[in-house]
Amino acid sequence: MTVEEITEKLKADRRNQSYTERGVFPVFQISPEAKIQIIGQAPGRKVEESGIPFSDKSGEKLIHWLGISPDTFYSPEIAIVPMDFYYPGKRKSGDLPPRKFIAEEYHPEILKMMPNIQCTILIGKYAADWYLKGRTKKNLTETVASYKEYLPEYFPIVHPSPLNFRWQAKNPWFEEQVVPELQKVVHAILQTADPA
């Protein structure tokens, strides 16, 4: 299956009908050359409008954490496959959760298209719970702190959203200890000393 075929399949899926009718297309970045896969939550409103994954403040922070340039982030070597390819909408606090059928039905097909993935970076609770089924700790903080247990296949991290500033302030160990290790993994796979 090609990128075009998967895109058309998503657009034709009746569960995505309201998006397709509004001219909103699925947001992801996949390539047969990809070596690193990033599993995020779902596009936000701004990303939905641009159609470019992580084209917001969260993306700026994530690129900084990875220690790579925007050009590398949007290169064929990096795949971005959210838990939902569409903005799920708002609830009282924050966004609605990603719809489960996307990861369930579409992720396996997409992964088959990318045979060279060496590490999957799991962003946030939804991605960690889905891909680390039965192996997560009692909360995301503990799962992220135990990242070494999941290497080399997976690297769980917290969401880079500006709304997560309280967690980041309360857990300075993440940027001090985990981010440098994340950068080492990324640079080793890409074989680059790409400046952030």
Side-chain angles (χ1 to χ4, degrees), residues 27-29 31 38 47 50-56 58-60 62-63 68-80:
V27 178
F28 56 78
Q29 174 176 301
S31 162
I38 296 169
V47 169
S50 72
I52 300 168
F54 285 106
S55 56
D56 54 13
S58 296
E60 287 176 23
L62 178 59
I63 290 167
I68 57 177
S69 66
D71 283 349
T72 300
F73 185 75
Y74 291 111
S75 76
E77 291 191 301
I78 305 279
I80 302 168

Side-chain angles (χ1 to χ4, degrees), residues 2-12 25-26 28 86:
T2 65
V3 177
E4 291 75 21
E5 285 169 341
I6 202 99
T7 300
E8 289 308 313
K9 187 176 177 182
L10 281 156
K11 283 160 64 178
F25 299 151
F28 56 78
Y86 296 87

Side-chain angles (χ1 to χ4, degrees), residues 38 61-68 73 121 182-183 186-187:
I38 296 169
K61 176 69 94 172
L62 178 59
I63 290 167
H64 170 69
W65 283 352
L66 296 174
I68 57 177
F73 185 75
I121 298 167
L182 175 64
Q183 292 179 1
V186 169
H187 291 166

